[in-house]
Amino acid sequence: MSWFSNQWNRWSQSAPSAWSDVEWLDVVYGRQRYEVSLPQIQGALTLGHLRQELASVFSLPVQQVLIVFQGMFLKDDRVSLRDYGLQSGSRITLVARDAYAQQAQARAQASRAAPQGGAAGGPSAPSGESLPTAAPTMAPVARGHASRGAPPAQESGAGAAAPEAPAVPESTSHLQQIAQVSQHCQRVLVPELELLEKTVETLPDAPAGALQSQAPPDTASTGNEAAIPPQRIPLTQRKLSELLLRELLKLDGIPTDSEEVRNMRKATVKEIQAYLDRVDAAWHRATQAKGIVSDV
């Protein structure tokens, strides 16, 4: 453990908490890892407790603390750490809100500048190592175009000037980024949304407010495990809502520098909003007709 880790770890891990259910976490901040002990309180620790503790340990304002766990930003301070799936020793990523916004803006600028930098034959793509793995990536397509400009410079004669790679219009890069958002939703998020809808539909009816723990009949009888356990339906609903909202934020960062980009972004926003409506509809049916209880 580094000297900085020892400084940040204010409580010894050898003194376990008498009350708290999560005693310490493995925190990734920038390129360093820290073992942070959590305060001892009676009852369950919530995300709000964790944010306040990390703000104190790392000298950040509480409103600047963003927490990523298993590829998802945790937002609701009222939810307990256990309900988020955290336990002693779980690894989370700490991101400062201002730094995250600045890095997102830098990636967007790099996306616009990369095609022109490709003529030099040696563009340096931003490493992004200080970002959490779940952070939106704004410039994969532009970096690919820039790298394809390198081979002509290497093949040219010693005295010949390197031919310039054809510049990719910014609007084309923006269209590609919008298409990537739509494709990601359709490939990754829509299948889980459809599974949520199917699981809710096959659950037996139960009065609102009942604690539903019974598996769907078709899953219990056929041994098919492709359904979401009833107790995980609230977490699935929150996760899908947050991931879809994250895709909307990606679209917000794409400039509408042409009518074509504006229309495509508008259509993709409507597409994602339709997915969010389906998540809300499935959740409403789960709580009103299937006895699923919110864990918040």
Side-chain angles (χ1 to χ4, degrees), residues 275-291:
Y275 297 148
L276 284 167
D277 290 342
R278 289 172 58 182
V279 173
D280 291 342
W283 177 242
H284 182 268
R285 179 161 176 75
T287 55
Q288 298 302 314
K290 303 295 181 176

Side-chain angles (χ1 to χ4, degrees), residues 187-207:
R187 280 198 320 267
V188 178
L189 303 182
V190 171
E192 189 168 1
L193 169 57
E194 292 174 343
L195 181 59
L196 173 64
E197 292 173 328
K198 179 182 177 182
T199 300
V200 170
E201 191 61 33
T202 54
L203 281 173
D205 291 343

Side-chain angles (χ1 to χ4, degrees), residues 8-86:
W8 293 127
N9 192 8
R10 300 188 304 164
W11 290 280
S12 172
Q13 184 181 336
S14 62
S17 168
W19 304 289
S20 304
D21 48 0
V22 181
E23 298 176 0
W24 65 281
L25 293 172
D26 186 4
V27 180
V28 178
Y29 183 39
R31 298 186 180 182
Q32 298 289 333
R33 287 175 52 190
Y34 310 89
E35 293 181 2
V36 177
S37 296
L38 301 184
Q40 300 179 9
I41 65 170
Q42 289 185 333
L45 285 167
T46 65
L47 180 63
H49 293 128
L50 176 58
R51 279 164 39 87
Q52 291 175 1
E53 182 65 16
L54 294 179
S56 173
V57 170
F58 292 98
S59 301
L60 293 170
V62 174
Q63 62 271 21
Q64 290 290 317
V65 175
L66 297 177
I67 299 172
V68 181
F69 177 58
Q70 294 183 346
M72 183 173 65
F73 282 96
L74 308 185
K75 293 185 177 180
D76 195 332
D77 286 344
R78 300 169 299 174
V79 178
S80 71
L81 301 185
R82 283 289 188 184
D83 288 340
Y84 273 125
L86 289 164

Side-chain angles (χ1 to χ4, degrees), residues 148-168:
R148 285 197 291 270
Q154 297 172 357
E155 295 172 1
S156 60
E164 290 188 0
V168 178

Side-chain angles (χ1 to χ4, degrees), residues 90-187:
S90 293
R91 180 176 299 177
I92 61 174
T93 300
L94 169 63
V95 185
R97 186 182 298 273
D98 285 348
Y100 177 75
Q102 292 171 1
Q103 289 166 342
Q105 183 179 5
R107 287 197 304 276
Q109 293 174 349
S111 172
R112 293 191 291 269
Q116 287 77 14
S124 58
S127 64
E129 292 179 1
S130 61
L131 290 176
T133 55
T137 302
M138 302 300 294
V141 176
R143 289 200 297 270
H145 283 294
S147 62
R148 285 197 291 270
Q154 297 172 357
E155 295 172 1
S156 60
E164 290 188 0
V168 178
E170 287 188 0
S171 59
T172 301
S173 175
H174 297 156
L175 289 172
Q176 291 171 334
Q177 293 174 25
I178 295 172
Q180 286 181 341
V181 169
S182 178
Q183 292 167 5
H184 173 75
C185 290
Q186 294 171 9
R187 280 198 320 267

